[in-house]
Amino acid sequence: MDDLLAPSSLLSSRWSRDNLITCHPAQLYGRVVERVDPAALGRLIQELEGRLGPIQVGPGRMGVVTWDIACAGAGGPFVLQAPLALDEPGASGRARREVPRHNADNMRAFRARGLGRFVVEPREALTLAGGVPAATFAALPDHRPIAFGRGALHVQLAEGELDWLVSLGPAATAELLAEMIAALAYHYDADADGGTALTDVFVNDGDFVVRRGDDGAFDVRLTAARRRESGIGPDLLLLYLCQLLAYEDWTIGGDLVGLPAPMSNPSLAFAGLVRGRAYRSTDLGAAAEAGRQEALAWIHAFGRSREGRAYRPWVERFLAGDLLPAFGAGGDPRERWWRLTPLQTKLGVLDLQARRDPQAAAAARALAAFVERLSREVGRAADGEPAALPLNDLGRDALAALLTEAGVAPPARDGVVRDLLARWPYRSLDHLAARVPGAAGLRRLRSRLGFGRVVATADQGTLASLGPAPKEAGPARAVANPETFGGPPLAPALQAAAVETFPTFEAFMDAALHDPTWGYYARSVAIGRGGHFITNPESLSPRYGRWIATWAFRMWREMIARGELGATDPFPIIEFGAGNGRLARDVLDAVAQDARAAAEGAGGDDGRRAFAARLAYRVYETSPSLRERQHALLGGDAIVAEGDARRPAATLARDFPDGVRGLVLTNEVPDAFGVHKLVLTADGDARATLVVPRVEARLCDARDAIDGALARRIADADASARRTFGFTANAGDLYLDGATWAALMAALAALPAERRAALLGALWCEELPVAAAAVPELAAHLSANAAASAVALAAADTGVTAYANVHADRFVRELGSSLRAGFVVTIDYGDTTWGLVEAARRGEFPFRVYGADRDFVPRPNDPYALPGTQDMTADVGFTALARAGEDAGLTVVHFGPERDLAGDDLPALLQAAAAGDESVAEFLGNPVFKVLVLATRPSDLFSGPLMSPLAITRGARTLPKSRRARAAAIEQRLRTTADFPPPPRRGPAA
């Protein structure tokens, strides 16, 4: 898989709630009414003895939603399953209390249909004391639970009171994962209710168990069949299987924290699907080949679907027989990758608490050390197998060959191999020799044998389980977060012509979002609960608006005190891109409420009534549909007008010819500007991304959409592109230049939505890298931000895929020229240049796509699937934003986490978080959302004991001395990018 870089759609595994197969159960199950603690469990077992006779209780497992207790009675060994809690129904009726019964019912139904290959035998569903539902299942004494962590599968090895996790190598991990995926594919009913799949499968909960067969193959069983979810078509199923997550549990300060880590990839998903469908076909009395062909047809269709378009290169290689199951051997940037946001959020809250309570400081320091250690582990190459054979990974033939080399006599060899496989796995050579005395001869090969990493129970979920700390944050990789949609190769001499012919990624994204005819914000945007996305002013309404109102009042009062405003001058709050208008509504309501309270003598009047009288709220919005919503919500309390945040100077000059004296506000606006996608190498070489559109020939035959003139134009564009650039691939498709692509999108926009979506499926896009110097505005951005980028790149020997927001630069520069006096407050998600580069090195992808996808369903994070119907967003580079502001004469007043906006409410919010309000805790600790305050002069408004100012730049002196010269060389290279002569301009690209 070396030449198959990670498609954007792998990104959605960074969001814990986006994968229903191995989701975070707290997102799904309902409110707990009563817990079944160990004491209650003991009483349940006593009652069960009254029904079944004496029971010998063995090892137990406390899982995510159930207790699973190994028992033995008169009828032999069995497993008792009882819920961890009695709860109210959650998402789609899920309830912990019903899981044992559902497990038994589902397994019984599968076995009745002849599909018993992977499930265990259900014995009895029963109700125990207190109305606690439970079930019993046949035991599998020779099978061992499977877990996943740190980029490998682990097998649990228990002996008496002790147990260990024994890790497997990359080859065995891949083989076993493919078999586990086969179990999920085996139980998928394509024809039932739009596709019905097993869901709520928790890999690290003992849901999968395994033993080695006599032939060395893995015999996998699925011990839980909690839920069968309908409405999952084959394309969505494959997206699930490509993006499987496992939750690794860590105990932090006495709290259990689950961190999602990816455990699948396309090669495993496709191989597992084919196996599972072949097994199913055989067990239902048909030929295995029939199931195999069914799976291959699904995989082929997946590569052409909205869900799977980004995976098409993998699809084509798999169908050609060139993609074998692999894990960790293909440079997957997600290997050993944790989504650290839950821990970072917890750390943010602890840091805030530590300022008020010194006792919290120690916990904050401990958690900070833990997060730092995991950050250094993310993306690091897996521990290399010692110069030894990984014995736990070997199959029958390999073990026989090893025993032959060790001198084990031929008559005994087959029996020793059987014993080795039957007692597998092993944690050391001494352990192996004690369990299989006939293999003692392997001691002669001691220096050549390995067993995989072994972690004892006491160390699981602790820093000790990670082993020695890495000296570097990650391995040297050409690009830490490869994220591409591969396109045709291009000779350097043709790059200038390509820039003239095809749109940049920025032009593509900008049109897909903002084109007035077919762009997302013109036609499809859905904000708020039940929409495509929700913002904090919506979710924290109305108090978020009150916070902004408080800051606006203080700014107004300070400007009057400094003589920048007269007492009777209007004070404008100008909001660009106001969404549904909720923030504006809440600000206006808070100001009015304060004025009424002052008029009634509640707390005195410190100017609130005067402020309310002088306030003039104005909204600028490009989207006609959003302007309608804003008008409806705001009425006559605010002016709603057309205005483009990407070019604010002209808009403000129209309405404020003498310049603005007031507050300019944006919430999650720069993230929706079109961005340039580029690759920055470790040496500072910059390559920009062009988008090469093409259409299937069938689209040109759709006469209801494509008239003869446009069809001829498409044919001419294809002929020109193939002739000019030597494109030979995709013989049945037609390449488009930027102008023809724009004309086609305009034509499709006139069609009914359903017909348009069907035809958009025939539109494909590939990415073409060119020198950034060929795109003048991008080259200028890189030059202006060279110092910060150089320091970040010099910190490690890896390049990154990054996103440059030239519109945000212009936005702030033009505000600086338009603002006579006052403040600019920018609220958005993102980070400093250093933070963005380091996040990319951890395997995080800063570009996201949102569309009409259901909760708990993985998103196909593909910007080229159905353009115009989905939102696209990129993390904001706040260092570049601040630099552009300073270049325009503005001063950085404050940069910090978004929670700083809460101001005086922070102590109360901390109390709410301590009392268990998870939504407040998430807001307080969120490491992603930031606020940047710029002003026409310095101000100390944003000072206070609970404010959390962050450094917005990082200088070369923060680097080791050995890397400072490297930073200087990279900076020089980036600065000279803008010195290249621009290519001749022959006309607009789109």
Side-chain angles (χ1 to χ4, degrees):
M1 295 178 64
D2 294 350
D3 57 339
L4 285 179
L5 301 181
S8 296
S9 56
L10 292 183
L11 165 67
S12 81
S13 60
R14 74 178 282 180
W15 300 106
S16 60
R17 73 174 189 175
D18 279 350
N19 199 312
L20 193 146
I21 296 289
T22 52
C23 59
H24 190 321
Q27 301 271 357
L28 299 175
Y29 287 86
R31 185 180 69 87
V32 171
V33 176
E34 182 179 355
R35 298 191 182 278
V36 180
D37 58 19
L41 183 67
R43 291 192 293 272
L44 297 180
I45 293 175
Q46 287 178 353
E47 182 187 348
L48 190 62
E49 282 188 307
R51 301 187 188 191
L52 303 181
I55 295 174
Q56 181 179 354
V57 179
R61 174 185 292 272
M62 183 181 72
V64 174
V65 293
T66 59
W67 291 100
D68 295 271
I69 310 298
C71 301
F78 65 95
V79 174
L80 170 67
Q81 187 173 91
L84 281 180
L86 305 181
D87 56 344
E88 297 175 349
S92 301
R94 288 175 173 84
R96 297 171 182 84
R97 67 186 304 150
E98 299 297 333
V99 166
R101 180 177 62 82
H102 287 322
N103 273 343
D105 289 347
N106 287 330
M107 290 183 180
R108 190 172 291 112
F110 283 127
R111 293 173 68 89
R113 295 170 58 190
L115 297 173
R117 178 184 296 254
F118 288 105
V119 296
V120 298
E121 177 190 351
R123 293 283 178 85
E124 182 181 5
L126 39 93
T127 301
L128 299 177
V132 177
T136 58
F137 301 85
L140 296 171
D142 296 328
H143 285 70
R144 304 181 185 280
I146 300 170
F148 182 89
R150 301 185 70 230
L153 282 175
H154 312 284
V155 181
Q156 186 173 6
L157 176 62
E159 294 181 349
E161 298 295 321
L162 301 176
D163 68 72
W164 302 264
L165 289 180
V166 181
S167 66
L168 303 180
T173 290
E175 174 63 23
L176 186 48
L177 275 171
E179 200 69 13
M180 293 161 64
I181 291 172
L184 297 174
Y186 176 89
H187 293 104
Y188 175 67
D189 289 322
D191 301 324
D193 298 323
T196 301
L198 278 182
T199 59
D200 300 12
V201 179
F202 309 129
V203 174
N204 285 348
D205 205 28
D207 286 11
F208 291 96
V209 294
V210 64
R211 69 175 177 85
R212 298 299 291 268
D214 288 347
D215 59 355
F218 294 109
D219 176 24
V220 172
R221 296 295 179 93
L222 184 59
T223 64
R226 297 182 181 87
R227 182 174 178 83
R228 298 179 68 238
E229 195 86 9
S230 61
I232 299 177
D235 293 333
L236 189 54
L237 173 72
L238 272 161
L239 186 60
Y240 283 137
L241 298 182
C242 286
Q243 299 183 358
L244 290 181
L245 299 176
Y247 269 73
E248 297 188 53
D249 289 336
W250 302 86
T251 301
I252 316 296
D255 294 335
L256 191 64
V257 178
L259 296 181
M263 58 169 287
S264 183
N265 63 40
S267 73
L268 300 175
F270 299 162
L273 181 75
V274 171
R275 291 186 195 184
R277 301 313 288 183
Y279 294 153
R280 180 186 177 97
S281 185
T282 299
D283 292 351
L284 291 178
E289 184 62 19
R292 182 176 178 276
Q293 290 301 320
E294 175 190 50
L296 293 176
W298 289 352
I299 293 169
H300 178 269
F302 176 65
R304 307 188 75 84
S305 69
R306 176 175 182 265
E307 292 84 356
R309 288 165 62 104
Y311 291 98
R312 191 165 182 179
W314 278 267
V315 167
E316 292 173 348
R317 279 189 56 179
F318 183 83
L319 295 178
D322 297 330
L323 188 64
L324 299 177
F327 192 89
D332 187 340
R334 305 171 307 152
E335 181 184 329
R336 191 177 307 175
W337 186 96
W338 292 284
R339 171 67 169 156
L340 296 179
T341 299
L343 288 185
Q344 292 167 330
T345 299
K346 184 179 178 68
L347 178 59
V349 175
L350 277 178
D351 283 340
L352 206 56
Q353 289 175 337
R355 299 192 211 165
R356 307 186 73 214
D357 178 8
Q359 293 183 347
R365 287 193 299 270
L367 181 57
F370 189 85
V371 171
E372 170 63 20
R373 176 60 197 281
L374 289 189
S375 297
R376 296 177 68 83
E377 286 278 345
V378 171
R380 189 166 67 93
D383 297 335
E385 292 290 343
L389 294 169
L391 192 136
N392 282 316
D393 297 356
L394 300 182
R396 181 180 182 84
D397 293 343
L399 286 173
L402 200 62
L403 291 171
T404 299
E405 186 179 350
V408 176
R413 198 177 302 145
D414 286 347
V416 172
V417 169
R418 284 195 300 272
D419 287 347
L420 284 171
L421 293 172
R423 291 168 173 79
W424 174 91
Y426 304 96
R427 55 189 175 85
S428 66
L429 190 55
D430 289 342
H431 178 239
L432 181 149
R435 302 203 73 193
V436 187
L442 291 175
R443 291 187 183 278
R444 302 172 193 171
L445 308 177
R446 178 186 297 271
S447 63
R448 296 182 50 216
L449 294 181
F451 292 84
R453 183 167 175 76
V454 179
V455 180
T457 303
D459 291 334
Q460 291 170 24
T462 70
L463 283 176
S465 68
L466 294 174
K471 295 181 180 179
E472 298 290 338
R477 303 189 300 279
V479 179
N481 59 331
E483 179 185 1
T484 186
F485 291 76
L490 187 67
L494 294 174
Q495 291 189 14
V499 172
E500 291 298 299
T501 303
F502 304 113
T504 61
F505 185 86
E506 180 275 325
F508 171 87
M509 178 179 173
D510 196 68
L513 291 178
H514 303 294
D515 186 278
T517 302
W518 59 273
Y520 170 77
Y521 282 99
R523 300 182 61 132
S524 304
V525 62
I527 305 173
R529 299 191 186 280
H532 297 169
F533 59 90
I534 189 169
T535 65
N536 278 336
E538 294 269 355
S539 59
L540 295 172
S541 173
R543 54 187 167 187
Y544 200 104
R546 170 161 291 283
W547 299 335
I548 298 298
T550 299
W551 289 114
F553 171 68
R554 292 173 180 173
M555 292 170 182
W556 170 76
R557 196 165 53 180
E558 183 176 279
M559 290 178 68
I560 289 179
R562 291 174 175 265
E564 295 165 336
L565 274 179
T568 60
D569 290 340
F571 179 78
I573 296 180
I574 299 168
E575 185 179 0
F576 281 94
N580 289 335
R582 172 49 53 193
L583 177 58
R585 181 72 272 165
D586 288 344
V587 169
L588 289 165
D589 289 348
V591 171
Q593 183 180 9
D594 287 346
R596 287 194 299 271
E600 295 167 0
D605 184 5
D606 55 357
R608 304 280 177 167
R609 286 194 292 171
F611 176 62
R614 303 290 174 259
L615 176 62
Y617 210 107
R618 187 179 292 263
V619 168
Y620 290 118
E621 178 62 62
T622 59
S623 168
S625 63
L626 288 179
R627 286 200 300 271
E628 290 180 7
R629 297 180 214 175
Q630 293 158 5
H631 274 298
L633 186 62
L634 300 175
D637 295 336
I639 296 173
V640 177
E642 183 176 4
D644 191 343
R646 294 166 297 174
R647 299 170 182 83
T651 298
L652 294 175
R654 179 191 69 202
D655 297 333
F656 297 90
D658 297 327
V660 175
R661 296 175 183 271
L663 166 62
V664 180
L665 173 69
T666 62
N667 175 68
E668 295 190 37
V669 170
D671 65 79
F673 294 161
V675 293
H676 283 284
K677 181 176 181 178
L678 69 153
V679 172
L680 294 171
T681 70
D683 295 326
D685 181 40
R687 297 192 294 275
T689 297
L690 302 182
V691 176
V692 181
R694 70 176 197 275
V695 295
E696 299 171 15
R698 67 179 174 90
L699 191 146
C700 295
D701 296 331
R703 292 306 179 191
D704 61 328
I706 309 298
D707 60 24
L710 183 53
R712 288 189 296 273
R713 184 174 175 181
I714 291 173
D716 291 343
D718 175 66
S720 176
R722 291 183 183 276
R723 181 175 59 252
T724 303
F725 302 106
F727 295 163
T728 58
N730 304 300
D733 297 347
L734 298 98
Y735 287 98
L736 308 178
D737 55 45
T740 307
W741 168 70
L744 173 63
M745 295 304 297
L748 295 179
L751 299 175
E754 186 174 344
R755 177 63 171 154
R756 181 171 66 252
L759 292 176
L760 281 175
L763 174 67
W764 296 82
C765 292
E766 296 172 329
E767 294 180 350
L768 195 64
V770 298
V775 184
E777 63 176 7
L778 175 59
H781 172 92
L782 292 172
S783 178
N785 293 280
S789 298
V791 171
L793 289 171
D797 295 323
T798 57
V800 294
T801 300
Y803 296 86
N805 198 329
V806 298
H807 288 301
D809 290 356
R810 183 171 59 237
F811 166 68
V812 174
R813 284 198 307 269
E814 292 191 4
L815 288 182
S817 67
S818 302
L819 195 66
R820 290 280 301 279
F823 298 82
V824 177
V825 175
T826 304
I827 308 161
D828 223 317
Y829 40 82
D831 211 330
T832 62
T833 299
W834 175 274
L836 290 174
V837 171
E838 287 302 293
R841 288 198 173 111
R842 292 195 299 268
E844 297 186 24
F845 295 89
F847 183 86
R848 289 172 292 283
V849 175
Y850 298 89
D853 301 300
R854 297 169 298 176
D855 280 347
F856 312 116
V857 173
R859 292 191 309 273
N861 201 65
D862 179 355
Y864 306 117
L866 306 182
T869 69
Q870 52 190 9
D871 187 27
M872 304 180 202
T873 175
D875 285 353
V876 172
F878 281 100
T879 303
L881 207 63
R883 180 209 51 77
E886 290 173 336
D887 288 350
L890 299 176
T891 297
V892 175
V893 169
H894 182 72
F895 174 62
E898 185 185 22
R899 70 177 183 231
D900 286 350
L901 290 171
D904 296 341
D905 277 359
L906 282 171
L909 293 177
L910 267 177
Q911 290 182 346
D917 190 327
E918 292 186 7
S919 64
V920 170
E922 184 175 351
F923 170 74
L924 290 178
N926 191 293
V928 177
F929 284 84
K930 310 287 195 308
V931 56
L932 173 66
V933 182
L934 301 169
T936 49
R937 40 78 185 161
S939 170
D940 60 359
L941 275 181
F942 285 82
S943 60
L946 292 183
M947 288 291 166
S948 305
L950 301 173
I952 203 163
T953 59
R954 184 161 178 161
R957 289 187 175 276
T958 62
L959 295 172
K961 290 183 178 180
S962 60
R963 291 192 174 267
R964 294 176 189 174
R966 181 179 180 82
I970 294 173
E971 180 179 352
Q972 179 63 23
R973 188 179 183 100
L974 290 172
R975 288 196 187 281
T976 56
T977 299
D979 296 338
F980 283 79
R985 304 297 292 183
R986 296 192 295 271

